[in-house]
Amino acid sequence: EILISPYSMAVENVFADMLCDEKEETEEVDENIDEEETISPDMLELCMEKANGGDDVSQYILGRCYYYGEGVEQNFNQAVLWWTKAANQGHADAMNLLGLAYRFGLGVEVDYAKSLSLLHEAADKDCASALMNLGVCYQEGWGVEVDIEEALRLYMMAAERGDVMALFNIGLYYHTEEDYEKAIYWYRLAVDKE
């Protein structure tokens, strides 16, 4: 049995309707799956079938399954393979995660230029997580010159799109600037959003 994570709940929700249609059943997916339940082997099988058939969403999800070891043995190389297939079809979230794989060398060699290119492409598709991750690149100087103003601008854009980590990072920025009132404001937004 595989323990379920919040990501697994998303897998269940995305494929529940497809599985119900294929089995002509009307099973309902519990919206409040707790971490001790398992990922459905039927859902994983359907995901693999759809991914092999070229469905970009399924390829993205299968990449995440391999990344986290959800229902399959953890394998970063396989995660990158599936994210690459989805990204080549324009899937912004796959581009974002593939960009992170290149930044950290997970399943591929570290390549900041490739990472930035993928993150920019995903951000251009309005991917909030990619905006936040680009902000981190500018904050940390990963493949670019450190530019705190640009990092903050990107965090703000991601926060406007609901990215919780961007809210936290804005709070952290104000914390380091010793503007504790603003820091608390942004930290509270992050906690409330979570």
Side-chain angles (χ1 to χ4, degrees), residues 15 18-19 22 41-51:
F15 288 100
M18 286 187 270
L19 185 61
E22 296 220 351
D42 290 336
M43 295 293 176
L44 183 60
E45 182 180 332
L46 181 60
C47 181
M48 287 183 177
E49 181 182 312
K50 299 283 185 186

Side-chain angles (χ1 to χ4, degrees), residues 61-113:
I61 290 172
L62 190 55
R64 290 199 54 154
C65 287
Y66 276 108
Y67 179 83
Y68 289 108
E70 293 281 347
V72 293
E73 187 173 326
Q74 186 177 43
N75 184 323
F76 295 139
N77 294 330
Q78 284 294 308
V80 165
L81 172 91
W82 289 107
W83 289 335
T84 300
K85 289 179 182 213
N88 287 341
Q89 295 186 68
H91 195 285
D93 291 319
M95 290 174 193
N96 175 56
L97 293 180
L98 190 56
L100 293 179
Y102 277 101
R103 181 167 63 190
F104 295 110
L106 298 171
V108 290
E109 293 292 320
V110 171
D111 184 337
Y112 288 138

